[in-house]
Amino acid sequence: MKSTGFAKLKRQLTELLPRQRHELLILLQQPDSFPELIARLEELTASHPTCPHCRDGAPYKWGSMNGRQRYRCRACKKTFTSLTGTPLAGLRMAERWLEYAEQMMESTTLRKAAKKCQINLGTSFRWRHRFLQLVDYTKSSELGGIVEADETFIRESFKGKRDLSKRKPRRRGSDKKNIKWVKVMVLRDRNHNEADFVMKRFTLRKLERCLLPRLRSGAVLCSDGHLNYEALAAKHHLLHKPVNSSAGQRVREDIFHIQGVNAYHSRLKQWIMRFHGVATKYLHRYLGWFRWFEHTRKADAQTIDFIWQCAVQPRFQQLKRT
């Protein structure tokens, strides 16, 4: 910073409120890892200068923006920075991102996170769903060995929706027969690779679309006795070991069971209760959020790891596809 700019900054400091001075003092005394995050993103972009708009691999430097290097694509003539194409693009108040990520790692509700980070409730909602875009990249693409498959039911919800013209509002104490449920199918192998899918209708076609691309050759499918699994195995010649839970069967041939995926269901429902209902529209993102916790439970992940995966995974996937 030039001396004139620094002198102007010192004059502006006298106008700060006591709370703002305290926050600035904490920031100066305990610098967080946010600059490190930006530096790593800048390094990644410099080593793989690929346009996020058209995937052209020959951009050139084009000035700077907000202290970050800006590039311009020779093909589409568009400019971009290290944050372009990531969930962090366009978000303001970057100094509070890590603090908000800490709240997400603690599974805090929207209102509590907004109050803790001193941001608007709408900003808290927008940041949460921006960060939860990482869930699309944490779903396992391959499952092998013994693959457990089972479904659980989560109540259909229109939480946050202002227009409920599609159905009548439910009253407390009303008939529970009118409640609709959404199926969540979870696939899990013995190496703790997981994939989950929200299914409003559990059909054979949807089961084929979700399960078949992820099954490795020679994998053994272990499920309950649902007819869709039986039809899938017969149609595609899969090795299938159904467990008849309704008849009291828990384990088959000493190794085939679905207790691992059922335990996963239990942990998922217990975790999701703290939000007092999740809108079905965003249920897949909350499933991925919980999946991230499952993957990092034994890895002692830090806040910087959470936001790093949020920022880098989309860009990394784009680079792999080029």
Side-chain angles (χ1 to χ4, degrees):
M1 178 181 290
K2 297 182 180 180
S3 58
T4 55
F6 183 65
K8 183 179 179 180
L9 176 62
K10 289 193 296 184
R11 290 194 299 269
Q12 292 176 342
L13 291 178
T14 59
E15 302 175 0
L16 294 178
L17 299 175
R19 176 181 57 81
Q20 295 172 333
R21 291 187 179 187
H22 179 68
E23 291 181 1
L24 180 60
L25 180 62
I26 294 177
L27 181 63
L28 293 175
Q29 291 178 344
Q30 301 177 357
D32 53 30
S33 53
F34 177 71
E36 177 189 351
L37 173 71
I38 295 296
R40 291 166 66 180
L41 279 172
E42 290 285 328
E43 182 180 354
L44 177 67
T45 306
S47 60
H48 299 84
T50 305
C51 176
H53 304 291
C54 67
R55 309 294 188 265
D56 183 78
Y60 55 94
K61 293 182 179 180
W62 187 261
S64 62
M65 184 176 68
N66 297 330
R68 295 187 295 272
Q69 179 63 54
R70 185 169 58 175
Y71 299 86
R72 191 185 188 196
C73 179
R74 286 185 171 89
C76 65
K77 307 301 181 182
K78 293 182 179 180
T79 60
F80 63 92
T81 66
S82 59
L83 294 182
T84 305
T86 72
L88 303 179
L91 296 184
R92 300 183 179 181
M93 296 182 286
E95 68 279 0
R96 302 184 185 180
W97 290 350
L98 285 175
E99 184 180 5
Y100 190 81
E102 290 179 1
Q103 298 301 311
M104 290 193 65
M105 291 190 66
E106 296 176 4
S107 303
T108 310
T109 60
L110 286 173
R111 284 179 171 81
K112 289 184 179 179
K115 184 178 180 180
K116 184 72 175 180
C117 299
Q118 298 181 355
I119 58 177
N120 185 268
L121 179 61
T123 302
S124 177
F125 177 84
R126 183 167 59 255
W127 284 12
R128 167 167 296 183
H129 288 279
R130 282 289 192 93
F131 290 170
L132 288 184
Q133 290 184 27
L134 68 88
V135 305
D136 297 330
Y137 305 95
T138 59
K139 188 178 296 186
S140 299
S141 58
E142 288 188 348
L143 299 100
I146 300 177
V147 179
E148 302 178 21
D150 198 13
E151 322 87 56
T152 188
F153 292 91
I154 294 182
R155 187 171 177 172
E156 186 182 35
S157 173
F158 296 93
K159 184 178 181 180
K161 190 174 180 62
R162 297 179 183 273
D163 181 18
L164 288 177
S165 57
K166 293 184 178 180
R167 68 162 177 83
K168 295 181 179 180
R170 290 191 293 264
R171 305 296 181 184
R172 183 172 296 179
S174 59
D175 189 5
K176 293 184 178 181
K177 293 182 179 179
N178 297 325
I179 296 177
K180 294 184 179 180
W181 300 86
V182 177
K183 272 192 176 183
V184 175
M185 185 185 72
V186 177
L187 305 175
R188 194 171 192 263
D189 63 16
R190 300 296 166 84
N191 293 323
H192 307 292
N193 298 314
E194 295 134 357
D196 46 59
F197 307 91
V198 179
M199 295 183 174
K200 291 188 177 181
R201 293 184 179 180
F202 188 61
T203 62
L204 177 59
R205 180 176 297 180
K206 289 187 177 181
L207 185 61
E208 289 176 330
R209 189 184 309 146
C210 297
L211 196 151
L212 289 180
R214 287 175 164 77
L215 282 183
R216 293 178 186 170
S217 177
V220 181
L221 177 62
C222 187
S223 68
D224 56 14
H226 199 286
L227 294 179
N228 282 344
Y229 293 111
E230 296 281 357
L232 179 73
K235 181 178 179 180
H236 298 279
H237 308 288
L238 301 177
L239 184 56
H240 184 213
K241 297 291 183 178
V243 177
N244 191 356
S245 303
S246 59
Q249 187 181 29
R250 296 291 181 267
V251 183
R252 180 174 175 177
E253 301 175 20
D254 296 330
I255 58 173
F256 299 109
H257 59 79
I258 55 175
Q259 296 176 5
V261 72
N262 285 336
Y264 185 91
H265 288 162
S266 178
R267 294 193 299 271
L268 169 65
K269 289 185 175 181
Q270 186 176 5
W271 173 80
I272 214 168
M273 282 178 60
R274 70 190 66 197
F275 301 110
H276 306 288
V278 174
T280 303
K281 179 181 179 180
Y282 302 116
L283 179 58
H284 67 287
R285 294 184 176 177
Y286 281 80
L287 294 177
W289 188 5
F290 178 75
R291 194 187 325 116
W292 187 87
F293 282 124
E294 288 286 306
H295 289 173
T296 59
R297 182 172 49 180
K298 298 180 180 179
D300 193 24
Q302 302 298 320
T303 308
I304 187 65
D305 300 322
F306 180 86
I307 201 169
W308 174 252
Q309 289 188 27
C310 169
V312 172
Q313 286 287 359
R315 173 65 65 84
F316 179 70
Q317 293 292 333
Q318 291 172 3
L319 294 176
K320 288 181 66 176
R321 289 193 292 265
T322 58

